Amino acid sequence: MSPAAHALAERLSCPLVERTGPFDPHRVRRDFPVLDQSVRGKPLVYLDNAATTQKPRDVLDVLEVFYEAANANVHRGVHHLSQIATDSYEGARNKVRQFLNAAHDREIIFTSGTTDSINLVAQTFGRRYVGAGDEILVTAMEHHSNIVPWQMLCEEKGAKLRVIPINDDGELRIDRLEPLLTERTRLVSVVHVSNVLGTLNPVASIVEKARERGIPVLLDGAQAVPHFKVDVQALGCDFYAFSGHKLYGPTGIGVLYGRSELLDSMPPYRGGGGMIREVSLEKTTYADPPARFEAGTPHIAGCIGLGAAIDYLNRIDLEAAAAYESDLFAYATDALSGISGLRIIGTAIERVSVISFVMDGVHPHDVGTIVDQQGVAVRAGHHCAQPVMRHFNIPATTRAATAFYNTREDIDTLVRALHTANEVFN
């Protein structure tokens, strides 16, 4: 590789640098250009982080460098741009492996997001191992992306979807778990952190009880990985899914971790280039994982951008950021609890980052509209979790979700905006 190409590859790989000092949210905030703007004449307060997080300058720069100076397809290219792109792409896979503490790079599959990752398992593992009369176990707090693929599979196979219920605090009824684990259970698929309730589920215990019975477990980590360190080997799970755009990376890129023994036994998800070993008009043999599950041209820039996001998180110290977020979440919970007519939905003891609430006499969409006038971005709706809404007998909530670049001043602005909504409608 030429010196120029080597320098470019180093820039794309975004190598780790030493941490710049103790975690400081105000300093970190300056790394995110989008936050430095006004909305409707007010400084932007971005509290829609459970839907997507903003991107640090490091990620934006890496994407620009790739497209400006190294854009090429990966694998099988002998020219130097393709080699740089391939090295950077596979380097991102290695960064994800380290981030999750997976055993091998081959256990990391790039997908388009959490939804795609779960569908991949449903259509590969499910196609091979689920039959008539079998059962898939989920919970009542799942995002639709961890319900609908299993319903589709069950309808196709004649299997049954069974559900771990929740209580009125938004916690899983773990006492109901063991009776639901039967000789017909083929997979347990559970959200790590609820996108509506913020509930941090006892996934290690769930995995342990399932594995005692030889039942694989998939964890939906979309709302978990942005907030604390995840170690898939320590958890003992068989699959772990997350989305890059919730981890300060690009949209359209996600990850499925799968234990290599299971991936080796699973058929392909899609057919096409890149996932084959040999093709004739009579027969095709398939590549080993992860290539087997990555048909076609991948989201190369997205993968490289996700690697840059992971480097950024490592540099700022995710553990220190998690401690700061925990303090900020407690502050926000206390502040919102003091607003007249406001009720927080989900009061589990173990919660992370997300506060969903309803206000007497004000529809969540109206709340979202009013606070937007004050420059505050929140989300209103059922959050792709309609079973949760039905449990609490509500059509929707307003959701505020913090990240490590948010501050107490952001929460204070939200509280003032909510008081305004109360005044307007009540």
Side-chain angles (χ1 to χ4, degrees):
M1 186 180 291
S2 69
H6 181 74
L8 183 58
E10 282 194 341
R11 183 67 189 91
L12 281 176
S13 69
C14 196
L16 293 178
V17 299
E18 291 186 4
R19 292 171 183 160
T20 55
F23 179 79
D24 178 357
H26 296 282
R27 178 182 56 78
V28 164
R29 188 180 182 89
R30 294 194 292 271
D31 295 336
F32 293 81
V34 73
L35 299 177
D36 185 23
Q37 64 173 297
S38 295
V39 172
R40 307 190 190 284
K42 308 285 186 180
L44 172 63
V45 173
Y46 186 79
L47 294 170
D48 194 19
N49 294 289
T52 195
T53 52
Q54 298 302 336
K55 320 308 172 193
R57 173 61 66 187
D58 284 14
V59 172
L60 303 178
D61 286 349
V62 162
L63 293 175
E64 183 178 20
V65 168
F66 173 73
Y67 279 124
E68 283 193 349
N71 181 45
N73 214 326
V74 295
H75 305 139
R76 297 175 301 283
V78 296
H79 60 88
H80 81 279
L81 287 186
S82 179
Q83 292 175 23
I84 293 170
T86 299
D87 289 346
S88 301
Y89 175 80
E90 293 300 337
R93 195 189 307 276
N94 180 259
K95 292 174 187 180
V96 174
R97 180 196 65 75
Q98 294 181 63
F99 184 70
L100 294 179
N101 192 34
H104 310 286
D105 283 8
R106 65 193 300 270
E107 295 180 322
I108 302 302
I109 299 166
F110 286 127
T111 67
S112 66
T114 305
T115 299
D116 190 31
S117 296
I118 295 171
N119 275 274
L120 189 160
V121 177
Q123 293 301 314
T124 56
F125 176 90
R127 191 189 313 162
R128 175 145 295 178
Y129 293 110
V130 177
D134 289 338
E135 297 173 352
I136 303 292
L137 183 59
V138 298
T139 81
M141 67 172 68
E142 301 302 324
H143 188 282
H144 295 165
S145 63
N146 203 24
I147 298 174
V148 179
W150 306 118
Q151 289 176 330
M152 295 168 67
L153 177 67
C154 287
E155 183 176 357
E156 175 187 340
K157 294 288 190 175
K160 182 177 181 180
L161 191 70
R162 305 199 70 185
V163 181
I164 307 169
I166 61 175
N167 62 27
D168 290 341
D169 291 326
E171 297 170 322
L172 286 181
R173 291 288 307 274
I174 291 298
D175 59 306
R176 302 284 188 89
L177 172 61
E178 294 203 46
L180 290 168
L181 296 172
T182 74
E183 69 279 358
R184 303 304 303 177
T185 308
R186 294 294 172 261
L187 182 77
V188 178
S189 192
V190 178
V191 66
H192 199 162
V193 172
S194 167
N195 74 307
V196 175
L197 307 168
T199 304
L200 173 58
N201 284 318
V203 293
S205 176
I206 293 171
V207 170
E208 181 181 10
K209 292 181 186 302
R211 292 291 295 275
E212 286 173 354
R213 295 161 174 80
I215 302 169
V217 179
L218 182 152
L219 299 179
D220 171 358
Q223 300 295 336
V225 292
H227 301 294
F228 52 81
K229 187 68 176 174
V230 170
D231 184 330
V232 293
Q233 293 193 75
L235 285 173
C237 60
D238 300 274
F239 302 104
Y240 199 95
F242 73 88
S243 298
H245 72 98
K246 298 182 193 293
L247 192 67
Y248 310 97
T251 57
I253 184 64
V255 167
L256 175 68
Y257 156 78
R259 276 199 307 115
S260 56
E261 306 94 289
L262 280 175
L263 294 180
D264 287 341
S265 72
M266 289 157 48
Y269 180 32
R270 299 186 179 97
M275 49 75 69
I276 57 87
R277 178 174 287 117
E278 186 174 350
V279 175
S280 71
L281 294 177
E282 292 74 35
K283 182 178 176 60
T284 295
T285 56
Y286 305 119
D288 293 331
R292 181 186 302 171
F293 304 105
E294 295 181 0
T297 297
H299 186 6
I300 303 166
C303 295
I304 294 170
L306 175 57
I310 289 172
D311 284 335
Y312 177 82
L313 291 173
N314 288 330
R315 189 164 73 252
I316 67 167
D317 188 348
L318 189 56
E319 290 183 5
Y324 169 78
E325 280 194 71
S326 179
D327 178 76
L328 183 64
F329 178 69
Y331 180 82
T333 301
D334 289 344
L336 267 65
S337 297
I339 297 174
S340 176
L342 185 147
R343 177 167 63 100
I344 293 175
I345 303 300
T347 54
I349 294 173
E350 296 289 338
R351 286 190 295 153
V352 177
S353 178
V354 174
I355 303 177
S356 289
F357 59 90
V358 293
M359 296 181 69
D360 291 345
V362 193
H363 192 280
H365 290 156
D366 292 326
V367 174
T369 300
I370 292 295
V371 302
D372 178 61
Q373 299 299 317
Q374 306 303 312
V376 181
V378 296
R379 186 149 295 254
H382 55 63
H383 314 298
C384 294
Q386 288 179 313
V388 175
M389 300 297 128
R390 293 192 184 97
H391 176 88
F392 289 98
N393 196 30
I394 52 177
T397 72
T398 305
R399 183 182 70 188
T402 57
F404 54 61
Y405 45 57
N406 289 119
T407 63
R408 290 192 173 197
E409 291 80 8
D410 289 342
I411 304 304
D412 295 340
T413 302
L414 170 64
V415 169
R416 289 193 296 271
L418 292 173
H419 281 302
T420 299
N422 247 342
E423 293 168 5
V424 169
F425 288 97
N426 294 313

